[in-house]
């Protein structure tokens, strides 16, 4: 029986998160940006940040085949 991995990345609320297909990258929706983390050793390290939304990002996901990141926000 394998135990789940537990990673503490931050102490503020997030709207959503998603792992890519092989779980080597993590996308986190925070406020009006998406932070991208890469698996590094026994944890995750901030790799990049996607900004540009003018409203709160409410969901984030990786496309299963291409690995592209898809987001939704409160903007019209």
């Amino acid at each position: 029986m394998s135990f789940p991995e537990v990673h503490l990345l931050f102490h503020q609320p997030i709207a959503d998160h998603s792992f890519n297909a092989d779980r080597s990258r993590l996308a986190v929706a925070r406020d009006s940006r998406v932070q991208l983390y890469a698996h590094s050793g026994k944890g995750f390290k901030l790799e990049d940040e996607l900004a540009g939304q003018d409203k709160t990002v409410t969901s984030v996901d990786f496309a299963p085949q291409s690995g592209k990141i898809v987001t939704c926000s409160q903007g019209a």
Side-chain angles (χ1 to χ4, degrees), residues 59-74:
S59 62
V60 62
D61 203 356
F62 284 92
Q65 299 299 321
S66 68
K68 291 183 179 182
I69 297 168
V70 180
T71 64
C72 292
S73 74
Q74 293 178 341

Side-chain angles (χ1 to χ4, degrees), residues 38-57:
H39 197 264
S40 175
K42 292 187 176 186
F44 283 86
K45 183 177 179 180
L46 183 62
E47 180 180 68
D48 202 355
E49 184 171 280
L50 306 176
Q53 299 276 3
D54 60 344
K55 303 287 185 185
T56 300
V57 177

Side-chain angles (χ1 to χ4, degrees), residues 20-32:
N20 67 341
D22 67 1
R23 301 182 69 84
S24 64
R25 295 180 74 206
L26 169 66
V28 177
R30 300 192 62 191
D31 301 320
S32 61

